[in-house]
Amino acid sequence: MKILVVNTGSSSLKFQLIDAKKNFTELYSGIVDNIGKKNCFFDAKINHTRIHFKKNISNHEKGLQEALKIMLKNKAVKSLKEIKAVGHRVVHGGEKYKNAVKITSQVKKTIKELYELAPLHNPANLQGILACEKLLKNIPNIAVFDTSFHQTMPQKAYLYAIPKEYYKKFKIRRYGFHGTSHKYISQETYKLLKNKKAKIITCHLGNGSSISAVSGGKSIDTSMGFTPLEGVIMGTRSGTIDPAIILYLLKKHKLSPEKIDEILNYRSGILAVSEISSDVRDIWAAAQRKNKKAIFALEYMAYSIAKQIGAYIAAMNGIDAITFTAGIGENAWYLRKDICEYLNFIGVKLDTAKNRASKPLISSPLSKVKVFVMPSNEGLEIAEEVINMIK
Ligand code: ADP
Protein backbone atom coordinates (compact mmCIF):
# COMPACT_ATOMS: atom_id res chain seq x y z
CA MET A 1 0.00 0.00 0.00
CA LYS A 2 1.58 3.27 -1.13
CA ILE A 3 1.27 6.42 0.94
CA LEU A 4 2.27 9.90 -0.15
CA VAL A 5 3.61 12.18 2.58
CA VAL A 6 3.46 15.91 1.92
CA ASN A 7 5.16 18.66 3.90
CA THR A 8 4.64 22.19 2.64
CA GLY A 9 6.40 25.37 3.72
CA SER A 10 5.59 28.89 2.56
CA SER A 11 7.65 28.38 -0.62
CA SER A 12 8.45 24.68 -0.59
CA LEU A 13 6.78 21.33 -1.04
CA LYS A 14 8.54 18.20 0.22
CA PHE A 15 7.18 14.80 -0.69
CA GLN A 16 7.87 11.15 0.03
CA LEU A 17 6.25 8.09 -1.47
CA ILE A 18 6.35 5.23 1.01
CA ASP A 19 5.41 1.60 0.44
CA ALA A 20 3.79 0.50 3.69
CA LYS A 21 3.58 -3.12 2.49
CA LYS A 22 7.33 -3.28 1.96
CA ASN A 23 8.37 -2.35 5.47
CA PHE A 24 7.74 1.35 4.83
CA THR A 25 10.40 1.60 2.11
CA GLU A 26 10.82 5.01 0.56
CA LEU A 27 10.25 4.76 -3.21
CA TYR A 28 10.56 8.40 -4.13
CA SER A 29 11.30 11.62 -2.28
CA GLY A 30 12.14 15.18 -3.07
CA ILE A 31 11.44 18.86 -2.85
CA VAL A 32 10.15 21.68 -5.00
CA ASP A 33 11.84 24.70 -3.47
CA ASN A 34 11.55 28.46 -3.93
CA ILE A 35 8.02 28.10 -5.31
CA GLY A 36 6.86 31.34 -6.92
CA LYS A 37 10.42 32.68 -7.01
CA LYS A 38 12.96 33.04 -9.83
CA ASN A 39 15.33 30.42 -8.45
CA CYS A 40 12.69 27.69 -8.16
CA PHE A 41 14.07 24.16 -8.53
CA PHE A 42 13.01 20.53 -8.36
CA ASP A 43 15.17 17.95 -6.66
CA ALA A 44 14.25 14.31 -6.12
CA LYS A 45 15.58 10.82 -5.53
CA ILE A 46 13.94 7.91 -7.31
CA ASN A 47 15.32 4.37 -7.80
CA HIS A 48 18.71 5.55 -6.48
CA THR A 49 18.83 8.23 -9.19
CA ARG A 50 18.83 11.96 -8.54
CA ILE A 51 16.70 14.26 -10.65
CA HIS A 52 17.44 17.95 -10.44
CA PHE A 53 16.31 20.82 -12.63
CA LYS A 54 15.35 24.46 -12.48
CA LYS A 55 11.84 25.41 -13.48
CA ASN A 56 9.45 28.25 -12.76
CA ILE A 57 6.69 26.78 -10.62
CA SER A 58 4.16 29.33 -9.46
CA ASN A 59 2.30 27.56 -6.65
CA HIS A 60 2.07 24.42 -4.48
CA GLU A 61 -0.48 22.75 -6.73
CA LYS A 62 1.80 23.07 -9.76
CA GLY A 63 4.69 21.82 -7.61
CA LEU A 64 2.73 18.71 -6.68
CA GLN A 65 1.70 18.24 -10.31
CA GLU A 66 5.38 18.23 -11.30
CA ALA A 67 6.24 15.74 -8.54
CA LEU A 68 3.45 13.38 -9.65
CA LYS A 69 4.44 13.69 -13.32
CA ILE A 70 8.03 12.68 -12.56
CA MET A 71 6.84 9.87 -10.30
CA LEU A 72 4.82 8.37 -13.18
CA LYS A 73 7.51 8.98 -15.78
CA ASN A 74 10.08 7.15 -13.67
CA LYS A 75 7.64 4.34 -12.83
CA ALA A 76 7.68 4.70 -9.02
CA VAL A 77 3.99 3.85 -9.56
CA LYS A 78 2.24 2.75 -12.74
CA SER A 79 -0.85 4.75 -12.00
CA LEU A 80 -1.84 7.37 -9.43
CA LYS A 81 -4.49 4.91 -8.28
CA GLU A 82 -1.76 2.98 -6.47
CA ILE A 83 -1.56 5.82 -3.93
CA LYS A 84 -4.07 4.92 -1.25
CA ALA A 85 -3.78 7.93 1.10
CA VAL A 86 -1.88 11.15 1.72
CA GLY A 87 -0.37 12.14 5.04
CA HIS A 88 0.12 15.87 5.60
CA ARG A 89 2.44 17.47 8.10
CA VAL A 90 0.42 20.28 9.64
CA VAL A 91 2.31 22.48 12.05
CA HIS A 92 -0.44 23.68 14.38
CA GLY A 93 -3.32 21.64 15.66
CA GLY A 94 -3.95 23.87 18.69
CA GLU A 95 -5.50 22.11 21.67
CA LYS A 96 -8.06 20.41 19.50
CA TYR A 97 -5.96 17.74 17.82
CA LYS A 98 -4.25 15.33 20.14
CA ASN A 99 -3.86 12.76 17.37
CA ALA A 100 -3.82 12.51 13.59
CA VAL A 101 -7.19 13.13 11.92
CA LYS A 102 -8.86 12.43 8.62
CA ILE A 103 -9.23 15.77 6.85
CA THR A 104 -12.81 16.96 6.45
CA SER A 105 -14.17 20.42 5.76
CA GLN A 106 -14.37 20.93 9.55
CA VAL A 107 -10.68 20.03 9.95
CA LYS A 108 -9.76 22.48 7.17
CA LYS A 109 -11.80 25.14 8.94
CA THR A 110 -9.92 24.53 12.18
CA ILE A 111 -6.54 24.62 10.40
CA LYS A 112 -7.63 28.02 9.06
CA GLU A 113 -8.72 29.23 12.48
CA LEU A 114 -5.23 28.37 13.70
CA TYR A 115 -3.57 30.62 11.08
CA GLU A 116 -3.18 33.27 13.75
CA LEU A 117 -1.10 30.90 15.89
CA ALA A 118 1.04 29.65 12.97
CA PRO A 119 0.90 32.36 10.31
CA LEU A 120 3.93 31.06 8.38
CA HIS A 121 3.03 27.39 8.38
CA ASN A 122 -0.67 26.56 8.56
CA PRO A 123 -1.63 28.51 5.38
CA ALA A 124 1.07 26.64 3.41
CA ASN A 125 -0.06 23.33 4.94
CA LEU A 126 -3.61 23.98 3.79
CA GLN A 127 -2.33 24.77 0.28
CA GLY A 128 -0.75 21.30 0.23
CA ILE A 129 -4.00 19.68 1.37
CA LEU A 130 -6.05 21.49 -1.28
CA ALA A 131 -3.55 20.54 -4.00
CA CYS A 132 -3.75 16.86 -3.03
CA GLU A 133 -7.55 16.90 -2.87
CA LYS A 134 -7.59 18.29 -6.39
CA LEU A 135 -4.91 16.13 -8.00
CA LEU A 136 -5.44 12.83 -6.15
CA LYS A 137 -9.18 12.39 -6.01
CA ASN A 138 -11.16 10.05 -3.75
CA ILE A 139 -8.45 9.03 -1.34
CA PRO A 140 -8.22 9.97 2.33
CA ASN A 141 -6.04 12.90 3.35
CA ILE A 142 -4.78 12.65 6.91
CA ALA A 143 -3.37 15.53 8.96
CA VAL A 144 -0.54 14.79 11.39
CA PHE A 145 0.11 17.78 13.64
CA ASP A 146 3.49 18.94 14.96
CA THR A 147 1.83 19.95 18.20
CA SER A 148 -0.13 16.73 18.93
CA PHE A 149 2.60 14.74 20.67
CA HIS A 150 3.00 17.52 23.25
CA GLN A 151 -0.69 17.61 24.14
CA THR A 152 0.08 15.25 27.02
CA MET A 153 2.02 17.98 28.87
CA PRO A 154 0.58 18.74 32.32
CA GLN A 155 -0.74 22.23 33.05
CA LYS A 156 2.32 23.15 35.07
CA ALA A 157 4.39 22.67 31.90
CA TYR A 158 2.11 24.34 29.39
CA LEU A 159 0.68 27.33 31.25
CA TYR A 160 2.63 30.58 31.37
CA ALA A 161 2.53 32.54 34.61
CA ILE A 162 0.45 35.34 33.11
CA PRO A 163 -3.22 36.14 33.85
CA LYS A 164 -5.45 33.18 32.99
CA GLU A 165 -7.65 35.29 30.74
CA TYR A 166 -4.89 35.33 28.07
CA TYR A 167 -4.93 31.56 27.98
CA LYS A 168 -8.72 31.45 27.89
CA LYS A 169 -9.28 34.28 25.41
CA PHE A 170 -6.18 34.17 23.23
CA LYS A 171 -5.06 30.55 23.68
CA ILE A 172 -1.64 31.66 24.88
CA ARG A 173 0.09 28.57 26.27
CA ARG A 174 3.02 26.30 25.47
CA TYR A 175 2.18 24.09 22.49
CA GLY A 176 5.61 22.79 21.51
CA PHE A 177 6.65 21.78 18.01
CA HIS A 178 8.69 19.10 16.17
CA GLY A 179 6.23 16.68 17.83
CA THR A 180 6.36 14.09 15.06
CA SER A 181 10.15 13.98 15.32
CA HIS A 182 10.18 13.76 19.14
CA LYS A 183 7.58 11.02 18.97
CA TYR A 184 9.49 9.03 16.36
CA ILE A 185 12.89 9.21 18.02
CA SER A 186 11.51 8.58 21.50
CA GLN A 187 9.71 5.47 20.24
CA GLU A 188 12.89 4.26 18.53
CA THR A 189 14.77 4.89 21.78
CA TYR A 190 12.19 2.88 23.77
CA LYS A 191 12.73 -0.03 21.36
CA LEU A 192 16.50 0.10 21.95
CA LEU A 193 16.10 0.40 25.73
CA LYS A 194 13.44 -2.33 25.89
CA ASN A 195 11.86 -0.36 28.71
CA LYS A 196 8.55 1.37 28.02
CA LYS A 197 8.67 3.34 31.27
CA ALA A 198 12.05 4.96 30.63
CA LYS A 199 12.69 8.68 31.06
CA ILE A 200 14.14 10.06 27.84
CA ILE A 201 15.30 13.46 26.69
CA THR A 202 15.02 13.92 22.94
CA CYS A 203 17.15 16.64 21.34
CA HIS A 204 16.04 17.72 17.87
CA LEU A 205 18.86 20.05 16.87
CA GLY A 206 18.53 21.46 13.36
CA ASN A 207 17.98 24.95 11.99
CA GLY A 208 15.17 25.04 14.49
CA SER A 209 15.93 23.17 17.69
CA SER A 210 13.80 21.80 20.48
CA ILE A 211 14.27 19.48 23.40
CA SER A 212 11.60 17.32 24.99
CA ALA A 213 11.22 15.40 28.21
CA VAL A 214 9.47 12.12 27.44
CA SER A 215 8.45 9.89 30.31
CA GLY A 216 6.76 6.52 29.74
CA GLY A 217 6.17 7.45 26.09
CA LYS A 218 4.49 10.78 26.86
CA SER A 219 5.85 14.26 26.28
CA ILE A 220 5.78 15.95 29.68
CA ASP A 221 7.59 19.15 28.69
CA THR A 222 9.24 20.70 25.67
CA SER A 223 11.41 23.74 25.05
CA MET A 224 9.51 25.42 22.22
CA GLY A 225 6.48 27.26 23.49
CA PHE A 226 3.62 29.34 22.19
CA THR A 227 5.72 29.64 19.03
CA PRO A 228 8.91 27.94 17.81
CA LEU A 229 10.89 30.97 19.01
CA GLU A 230 11.16 29.83 22.62
CA GLY A 231 13.76 27.48 24.04
CA VAL A 232 17.39 26.76 23.23
CA ILE A 233 19.54 28.82 20.86
CA MET A 234 18.81 28.04 17.17
CA GLY A 235 20.32 28.86 13.76
CA THR A 236 18.82 32.35 13.49
CA ARG A 237 16.27 32.32 16.34
CA SER A 238 17.17 33.67 19.73
CA GLY A 239 15.44 31.04 21.84
CA THR A 240 14.36 32.18 25.30
CA ILE A 241 15.20 35.77 26.22
CA ASP A 242 13.90 38.12 28.89
CA PRO A 243 10.53 39.31 27.47
CA ALA A 244 11.28 42.78 28.86
CA ILE A 245 13.97 43.14 26.16
CA ILE A 246 11.15 43.33 23.61
CA LEU A 247 9.35 46.03 25.59
CA TYR A 248 12.59 47.95 25.96
CA LEU A 249 13.27 47.84 22.20
CA LEU A 250 9.67 48.85 21.47
CA LYS A 251 9.39 51.67 23.96
CA LYS A 252 12.87 53.06 24.43
CA HIS A 253 14.33 52.49 20.97
CA LYS A 254 11.07 52.70 19.01
CA LEU A 255 11.69 49.53 17.03
CA SER A 256 8.56 48.33 15.27
CA PRO A 257 7.03 44.90 16.10
CA GLU A 258 7.96 43.80 12.55
CA LYS A 259 11.59 44.79 13.11
CA ILE A 260 11.76 42.94 16.43
CA ASP A 261 10.18 39.90 14.82
CA GLU A 262 12.85 39.99 12.12
CA ILE A 263 15.67 40.40 14.65
CA LEU A 264 14.54 37.55 16.90
CA ASN A 265 13.59 35.10 14.14
CA TYR A 266 16.16 35.77 11.45
CA ARG A 267 19.12 37.67 12.87
CA SER A 268 19.67 36.06 16.25
CA GLY A 269 20.75 32.65 17.48
CA ILE A 270 24.01 31.07 16.36
CA LEU A 271 24.26 33.64 13.58
CA ALA A 272 24.25 36.51 16.08
CA VAL A 273 26.50 34.88 18.66
CA SER A 274 29.13 33.81 16.10
CA GLU A 275 28.75 36.73 13.68
CA ILE A 276 29.87 34.14 11.13
CA SER A 277 26.96 31.98 10.01
CA SER A 278 23.80 30.25 11.14
CA ASP A 279 25.25 26.97 9.89
CA VAL A 280 27.20 24.94 12.41
CA ARG A 281 29.41 23.54 9.64
CA ASP A 282 30.77 27.03 8.89
CA ILE A 283 31.29 27.72 12.58
CA TRP A 284 33.11 24.44 13.11
CA ALA A 285 35.35 25.18 10.09
CA ALA A 286 36.15 28.63 11.54
CA ALA A 287 36.78 27.12 14.99
CA GLN A 288 39.32 24.77 13.39
CA ARG A 289 41.14 27.90 12.22
CA LYS A 290 41.09 29.07 15.87
CA ASN A 291 38.54 31.81 15.21
CA LYS A 292 37.62 33.02 18.71
CA LYS A 293 34.03 33.98 17.85
CA ALA A 294 33.42 30.53 16.41
CA ILE A 295 34.90 28.79 19.45
CA PHE A 296 32.72 30.95 21.70
CA ALA A 297 29.57 30.24 19.63
CA LEU A 298 30.07 26.48 19.98
CA GLU A 299 30.60 26.87 23.74
CA TYR A 300 27.46 28.99 23.95
CA MET A 301 25.38 26.40 22.09
CA ALA A 302 26.55 23.50 24.22
CA TYR A 303 25.81 25.51 27.38
CA SER A 304 22.32 26.50 26.21
CA ILE A 305 21.41 22.91 25.34
CA ALA A 306 22.98 21.32 28.43
CA LYS A 307 21.06 23.73 30.70
CA GLN A 308 17.77 22.66 29.11
CA ILE A 309 18.63 18.98 29.44
CA GLY A 310 19.53 19.58 33.09
CA ALA A 311 16.15 21.21 33.70
CA TYR A 312 14.34 18.20 32.23
CA ILE A 313 16.36 15.75 34.31
CA ALA A 314 14.91 17.58 37.32
CA ALA A 315 11.42 17.73 35.76
CA MET A 316 11.41 13.94 35.35
CA ASN A 317 13.33 13.30 38.57
CA GLY A 318 15.79 11.15 36.64
CA ILE A 319 16.96 10.16 33.23
CA ASP A 320 17.61 6.87 31.41
CA ALA A 321 18.57 8.06 27.94
CA ILE A 322 19.33 11.08 25.79
CA THR A 323 18.79 10.91 22.03
CA PHE A 324 20.15 13.37 19.49
CA THR A 325 18.68 13.93 16.03
CA ALA A 326 18.44 16.37 13.06
CA GLY A 327 21.21 18.17 11.14
CA ILE A 328 23.24 19.26 14.17
CA GLY A 329 22.24 16.46 16.53
CA GLU A 330 23.21 13.76 14.03
CA ASN A 331 26.43 15.30 12.76
CA ALA A 332 28.06 17.72 15.18
CA TRP A 333 29.91 15.16 17.36
CA TYR A 334 31.96 17.99 18.94
CA LEU A 335 28.77 19.60 20.26
CA ARG A 336 27.46 16.28 21.57
CA LYS A 337 30.79 15.87 23.37
CA ASP A 338 30.62 19.35 24.94
CA ILE A 339 26.94 18.97 25.91
CA CYS A 340 27.54 15.59 27.53
CA GLU A 341 30.52 16.91 29.47
CA TYR A 342 28.13 19.17 31.39
CA LEU A 343 26.22 16.02 32.35
CA ASN A 344 29.17 14.08 33.77
CA PHE A 345 27.79 14.80 37.23
CA ILE A 346 24.93 12.36 36.72
CA GLY A 347 27.17 9.76 35.17
CA VAL A 348 26.82 10.54 31.45
CA LYS A 349 29.92 9.26 29.70
CA LEU A 350 30.44 9.11 25.95
CA ASP A 351 32.51 6.55 24.04
CA THR A 352 34.82 8.88 22.10
CA ALA A 353 35.14 6.68 19.01
CA LYS A 354 31.43 5.86 18.83
CA ASN A 355 30.54 9.52 19.26
CA ARG A 356 32.86 10.45 16.37
CA ALA A 357 31.30 7.75 14.19
CA SER A 358 27.71 8.78 15.07
CA LYS A 359 26.69 5.21 15.86
CA PRO A 360 23.22 4.73 17.35
CA LEU A 361 24.65 4.08 20.82
CA ILE A 362 27.41 6.59 21.59
CA SER A 363 27.67 6.30 25.39
CA SER A 364 30.34 4.16 26.98
CA PRO A 365 29.35 0.92 28.75
CA LEU A 366 30.28 2.71 32.00
CA SER A 367 27.74 5.48 31.43
CA LYS A 368 24.77 5.58 33.82
CA VAL A 369 22.67 7.14 31.07
CA LYS A 370 22.48 5.75 27.53
CA VAL A 371 23.13 8.30 24.79
CA PHE A 372 21.94 7.68 21.24
CA VAL A 373 22.19 9.37 17.85
CA MET A 374 19.63 8.56 15.20
CA PRO A 375 18.07 10.12 12.13
CA SER A 376 14.57 11.38 12.58
CA ASN A 377 12.19 10.15 9.96
CA GLU A 378 9.13 12.32 10.23
CA GLY A 379 7.88 11.06 6.85
CA LEU A 380 7.94 7.48 8.08
CA GLU A 381 6.16 8.43 11.32
CA ILE A 382 3.49 10.26 9.31
CA ALA A 383 3.07 7.25 6.97
CA GLU A 384 2.68 4.94 9.99
CA GLU A 385 0.05 7.24 11.50
CA VAL A 386 -1.79 7.27 8.16
CA ILE A 387 -1.82 3.47 8.06
CA ASN A 388 -3.14 3.34 11.64
CA MET A 389 -5.88 5.81 10.71
CA ILE A 390 -7.10 4.09 7.56
CA LYS A 391 -6.96 0.55 8.94
P1 ADP B 1 15.80 21.89 9.43
O1 ADP B 1 15.52 22.37 10.82
O2 ADP B 1 15.76 22.97 8.41
O3 ADP B 1 15.07 20.62 9.04
P2 ADP B 1 18.18 20.26 9.57
O4 ADP B 1 17.72 19.30 10.61
O5 ADP B 1 18.47 19.75 8.21
O6 ADP B 1 17.31 21.55 9.49
O7 ADP B 1 19.52 20.94 10.14
C1 ADP B 1 20.19 21.90 9.40
C2 ADP B 1 21.40 22.38 10.19
O8 ADP B 1 22.17 21.25 10.62
C3 ADP B 1 22.37 23.21 9.36
O9 ADP B 1 22.02 24.55 9.36
C4 ADP B 1 23.67 22.97 10.06
O10 ADP B 1 23.82 23.92 11.11
C5 ADP B 1 23.53 21.60 10.67
N1 ADP B 1 24.30 20.57 9.95
C6 ADP B 1 23.94 19.89 8.84
N2 ADP B 1 24.91 19.02 8.47
C7 ADP B 1 25.91 19.15 9.39
C8 ADP B 1 27.18 18.55 9.58
N3 ADP B 1 27.65 17.61 8.77
N4 ADP B 1 27.90 18.95 10.64
C9 ADP B 1 27.45 19.89 11.50
N5 ADP B 1 26.25 20.49 11.38
C10 ADP B 1 25.50 20.14 10.35
Side-chain angles (χ1 to χ4, degrees):
M1 184 186 283
K2 287 165 190 135
I3 307 291
L4 185 69
V5 175
V6 173
N7 177 359
T8 45
S10 53
S11 59
S12 67
L13 181 137
K14 290 186 197 155
F15 50 87
Q16 261 174 297
L17 181 71
I18 290 173
D19 193 344
K21 275 234 171 88
K22 291 197 179 139
N23 205 17
F24 288 85
T25 319
E26 182 184 283
L27 303 173
Y28 173 46
S29 67
I31 182 167
V32 189
D33 211 349
N34 300 323
I35 293 175
K37 296 180 191 160
K38 263 195 190 152
N39 51 349
C40 182
F41 67 87
F42 181 96
D43 190 73
K45 246 185 359 199
I46 194 161
N47 303 327
H48 307 287
T49 313
R50 188 156 169 234
I51 301 171
H52 183 96
F53 55 87
K54 286 187 183 146
K55 182 169 180 175
N56 283 338
I57 295 175
S58 57
N59 59 40
H60 289 89
E61 187 187 314
K62 296 220 166 93
L64 179 67
Q65 213 162 25
E66 196 66 38
L68 297 177
K69 196 171 95 188
I70 293 191
M71 180 174 69
L72 287 169
K73 197 172 155 196
N74 289 276
K75 301 189 173 54
V77 290
K78 289 192 195 99
S79 137
L80 291 182
K81 288 196 178 121
E82 285 179 44
I83 301 175
K84 298 298 178 205
V86 189
H88 295 269
R89 176 189 181 207
V90 179
V91 165
H92 222 304
E95 287 189 318
K96 185 154 181 186
Y97 297 117
K98 301 187 190 327
N99 292 298
V101 285
K102 188 164 172 222
I103 298 169
T104 58
S105 47
Q106 180 56 48
V107 173
K108 284 186 275 185
K109 192 167 160 257
T110 310
I111 293 173
K112 257 192 177 165
E113 282 162 10
L114 291 164
Y115 277 8
E116 56 188 50
L117 295 185
L120 299 178
H121 296 99
N122 272 29
N125 300 153
L126 189 62
Q127 287 302 315
I129 292 168
L130 296 175
C132 288
E133 285 180 338
K134 191 160 169 198
L135 300 176
L136 295 161
K137 293 209 165 60
N138 302 323
I139 57 170
N141 282 274
I142 311 291
V144 180
F145 300 93
D146 250 24
T147 45
S148 291
F149 181 58
H150 302 302
Q151 280 294 309
T152 46
M153 283 188 288
Q155 270 203 336
K156 65 183 174 190
Y158 74 70
L159 280 186
Y160 291 108
I162 58 174
K164 262 278 178 54
E165 63 192 273
Y166 299 109
Y167 166 56
K168 289 191 182 143
K169 273 199 219 154
F170 304 144
K171 304 187 178 76
I172 297 176
R173 53 158 283 176
R174 178 184 308 284
Y175 290 99
F177 299 88
H178 290 144
T180 310
S181 172
H182 288 292
K183 183 174 181 186
Y184 177 79
I185 62 163
S186 58
Q187 284 175 346
E188 291 300 301
T189 306
Y190 281 110
K191 282 185 207 161
L192 294 170
L193 292 173
K194 298 190 178 74
N195 169 10
K196 284 184 183 158
K197 291 193 179 145
K199 296 167 180 175
I200 301 174
I201 294 178
T202 48
C203 305
H204 179 113
L205 310 176
N207 270 323
S209 295
S210 68
I211 301 190
S212 287
V214 185
S215 183
K218 292 199 166 104
S219 170
I220 62 130
D221 208 341
T222 192
S223 60
M224 282 179 170
F226 176 59
T227 74
L229 189 53
E230 195 184 346
V232 294
I233 181 174
M234 304 180 218
T236 60
R237 286 182 223 147
S238 62
T240 300
I241 60 166
D242 180 347
I245 296 170
I246 298 165
L247 304 175
Y248 180 75
L249 291 175
L250 270 170
K251 286 201 239 165
K252 172 87 179 159
H253 294 286
K254 310 282 179 241
L255 263 61
S256 65
E258 293 73 25
K259 184 79 190 162
I260 297 175
D261 188 340
E262 192 232 336
I263 294 170
L264 297 180
N265 276 299
Y266 302 105
R267 288 176 47 205
S268 296
I270 309 167
L271 174 66
V273 174
S274 68
E275 295 183 305
I276 296 171
S277 167
S278 63
D279 192 314
V280 168
R281 284 166 289 200
D282 300 334
I283 298 173
W284 172 243
Q288 298 301 94
R289 299 190 298 269
K290 309 262 181 297
N291 179 306
K292 287 199 174 116
K293 286 180 180 173
I295 293 168
F296 174 69
L298 292 173
E299 275 173 19
Y300 194 108
M301 274 185 83
Y303 181 62
S304 166
I305 295 161
K307 270 198 299 187
Q308 188 68 71
I309 295 175
Y312 288 159
I313 294 173
M316 293 193 288
N317 197 2
I319 169 99
D320 297 300
I322 301 169
T323 302
F324 290 96
T325 194
I328 299 169
E330 285 167 49
N331 296 297
W333 59 268
Y334 36 89
L335 270 172
R336 294 195 301 257
K337 172 175 163 284
D338 290 353
I339 293 165
C340 289
E341 266 166 22
Y342 281 103
L343 306 168
N344 281 343
F345 77 102
I346 44 143
V348 174
K349 205 171 172 344
L350 290 189
D351 178 306
T352 310
K354 283 185 183 163
N355 181 42
R356 286 291 295 262
S358 300
K359 289 269 162 50
L361 179 69
I362 61 166
S363 49
S364 106
L366 301 172
S367 185
K368 290 198 179 125
V369 177
K370 291 219 159 62
V371 186
F372 298 100
V373 177
M374 59 179 75
S376 192
N377 195 336
E378 287 160 287
L380 180 65
E381 176 62 33
I382 292 175
E384 281 181 4
E385 300 221 6
V386 168
I387 291 292
N388 288 339
M389 284 288 301
I390 60 175
K391 249 180 195 167

